[in-house]
Amino acid sequence: MLRTNLGQRIPDGMRDLLPEELVVQERLEEEILALFRQWSYQKVLTPTLEYTACVQPDIEQDDSLYKFFDREGRILALRPELTMSIARLVSTRMRGGDFPLRLCYGADVYRNTAVRHREFRQVGVELVGSDQELADAEVIALAVEAIAGLGLKNYQFNLGHMGIFSGLMLEAGVDEGLQSKLEEALARKDMVGVERWVSQSRLPTRVQELLLRLPHFHGGEEILDEVLDWSERPAIQEAVERLRKIYRYLNYFGVQENVSLDLGILRGFSYYTGAVFEGYVPGMGFPVVEGGRYDTLYSDFGVSLPATGFAIHLGTLLEQFPLSSTESADILVYGSDAEQVIRQCQALRAKGKRVEMVLGRIESDVAQKMAFQKHIPEILCV
């Protein structure tokens, strides 16, 4: 049957990976997962399809989900990320585990958004069961080392805390609607939107000034002392001191020079509650690493567990690496007797050789040309 034009295309935001592209992606993933294992993280895998109540327990009508109905009429969705899926896994099959749990993954996620990619390959970790600042510092340091280990240069991580923004909102008595609009604009780095919502608000002049400064508050530990002068509200004071402690721990890990404090960071997912961070590499205008603390998410799954983690958007990083040539076979085998050719190929494979079998009879000069074109170093005629 002749395929239609649509049958020859792939859905928007999805992509094929050629052998040489897949070689790079798999190599990067193997290197990162090896590092995770070195830090005592164990790999898990959750289903590609989840019930929408799992992946978005508080936003059933999220348009960013790819949704389906099963035969019983229940709504399913392709997972948009793995944090919630792992929360479901931990709260059910791993509920009696020895906490804290250190889990990692490498998997595809899907988001039906108006961006270039809607299918993402992610690798990441979840550290579940510790509310200590040292846990935050561990996952941030691990994220930095993962990017550094790939050989990338001039990368930069930014670290903030959700409690500073939420504390300002509480102190100013900002209504939920305006807070959501400001939070969304800040998360997208939409400074024009921030200025618009602030100017249209009836917030006190001092609060407006602080909100407009927040996205530009970027630097070292010295900026935290200035934040303490903003307010005596306990929530803000606690967030600052937690951030200070995490930042100092990063110095002990030896990664602090690659991390700047950025009080304008707000993560796009609503479940983040504490320290949040992003990692950038040159030439890419969006974060390739995203993570943070989410201490209330597990209550949606019937347990009370603090947690922190991050995800690396591996697919987007492919553009930073030259394509690798695919691995060629070690030996090309051909001959006039199919039985002998097959047996010889099987014997060589049993010895660990990568073997390409010629499918049919060819002359030696053709075999040599074939081996040359495919970069196969050895030829065997049987």
Side-chain angles (χ1 to χ4, degrees):
M1 179 182 69
L2 181 64
R3 295 291 181 186
T4 64
N5 182 48
L6 190 61
Q8 295 173 328
R9 296 167 49 196
I10 58 176
D12 291 343
M14 306 297 166
R15 61 177 173 171
D16 298 311
L17 286 179
L18 300 177
E20 54 269 26
E21 294 170 325
L22 196 56
V23 165
V24 176
Q25 179 172 290
E26 289 182 341
R27 175 179 62 80
L28 298 178
E29 184 168 330
E30 288 169 3
E31 290 178 4
I32 294 172
L33 289 174
L35 176 67
F36 292 170
R37 288 192 292 270
Q38 193 175 14
W39 286 52
S40 196
Y41 285 78
Q42 296 180 309
K43 189 177 180 182
V44 293
L45 184 62
T46 62
T48 303
L49 279 174
E50 296 270 11
Y51 290 116
T52 54
C54 167
V55 294
Q56 288 289 4
D58 58 343
I59 310 176
E60 288 287 346
Q61 303 303 318
D62 189 344
D63 291 336
S64 69
L65 297 178
Y66 281 100
K67 298 179 182 178
F68 309 87
F69 288 97
D70 66 11
R71 292 183 177 181
E72 288 72 36
R74 294 169 295 197
I75 305 175
L76 307 175
L78 295 177
R79 59 186 175 215
E81 43 91 53
L82 273 90
T83 296
M84 288 193 179
S85 294
I86 290 177
R88 175 196 49 73
L89 172 65
V90 170
S91 63
T92 53
R93 298 189 64 190
M94 304 184 76
R95 194 165 186 160
D98 294 324
F99 292 97
L101 292 175
R102 289 177 169 87
L103 305 175
C104 65
Y105 59 85
D108 293 324
V109 299
Y110 305 85
R111 297 175 194 166
N112 189 15
T113 53
V115 294
R116 178 182 170 193
H117 296 306
R118 301 181 186 180
E119 178 183 29
F120 308 81
R121 187 68 181 182
Q122 288 188 340
V123 288
V125 306
E126 309 292 343
L127 201 169
V128 184
S130 174
D131 62 357
Q132 299 298 303
E133 290 86 356
L134 186 55
D136 295 287
E138 176 178 305
V139 299
I140 296 166
L142 180 52
V144 174
E145 287 205 9
I147 294 300
L150 300 180
L152 294 168
K153 306 296 183 184
N154 301 318
Y155 53 86
Q156 176 64 43
F157 279 73
N158 298 333
L159 170 63
H161 198 290
M162 297 292 289
I164 295 174
F165 173 79
S166 60
L168 278 175
M169 295 295 97
L170 284 171
E171 183 166 310
V174 177
D175 65 78
E176 187 174 330
L178 177 57
Q179 180 172 337
S180 296
K181 292 171 183 175
L182 286 169
E183 188 171 339
E184 182 181 353
L186 283 167
R188 296 200 318 265
K189 310 294 185 187
D190 178 9
M191 299 304 105
V192 174
V194 173
E195 292 176 5
R196 182 176 70 252
W197 293 121
V198 168
S199 64
Q200 292 176 1
S201 72
R202 297 181 180 179
L203 297 174
T205 301
R206 175 179 165 277
V207 176
Q208 289 191 33
E209 291 173 351
L210 289 176
L211 286 172
L212 292 175
R213 284 193 63 195
L214 203 60
H216 309 287
F217 231 65
H218 194 276
E221 190 176 339
E222 69 281 353
I223 71 172
L224 297 178
D225 295 325
E226 186 174 345
V227 176
L228 291 176
D229 295 332
W230 292 358
S231 169
E232 295 183 356
R233 190 173 188 87
I236 294 179
Q237 302 277 319
E238 180 184 354
V240 168
E241 293 310 318
R242 280 182 171 269
L243 204 51
R244 190 191 303 276
K245 188 177 289 188
I246 293 167
Y247 196 62
R248 289 179 176 176
Y249 282 145
L250 294 178
N251 186 42
Y252 305 150
F253 277 109
V255 302
Q256 190 189 76
E257 65 179 13
N258 300 110
V259 182
S260 294
L261 295 175
D262 184 347
L263 304 188
I265 293 180
L266 294 177
R267 295 294 330 119
F269 289 107
S270 61
Y271 51 67
Y272 287 108
T273 59
V276 287
F277 62 97
E278 299 172 337
Y280 292 84
V281 298
M284 306 191 80
F286 50 86
V288 298
V289 183
E290 299 177 289
R293 174 163 290 280
Y294 51 99
D295 284 347
T296 59
L297 174 64
Y298 274 78
S299 62
D300 291 330
F301 295 90
V303 295
S304 179
L305 288 170
T308 182
F310 68 84
I312 299 174
H313 303 300
L314 191 60
T316 60
L317 280 176
L318 288 182
E319 301 170 10
Q320 301 292 309
F321 296 87
L323 296 181
S324 298
S325 57
T326 56
E327 294 183 347
S328 61
D330 297 315
I331 184 168
L332 179 72
V333 179
Y334 73 103
S336 58
D337 188 321
E339 180 182 350
Q340 292 302 315
V341 171
I342 293 170
R343 290 186 182 279
Q344 186 63 60
C345 289
Q346 292 297 85
L348 290 168
R349 288 167 182 150
K351 295 178 180 179
K353 295 287 187 180
R354 291 171 297 181
V355 182
E356 179 161 335
M357 181 176 69
V358 175
L359 306 175
R361 297 184 181 184
I362 59 173
E363 299 298 328
S364 62
D365 59 332
V366 177
Q368 290 174 3
K369 182 178 180 181
M370 182 184 295
F372 176 79
Q373 291 174 334
K374 296 189 174 187
H375 306 287
I376 301 175
E378 188 176 347
I379 304 172
L380 177 62
C381 178
V382 295

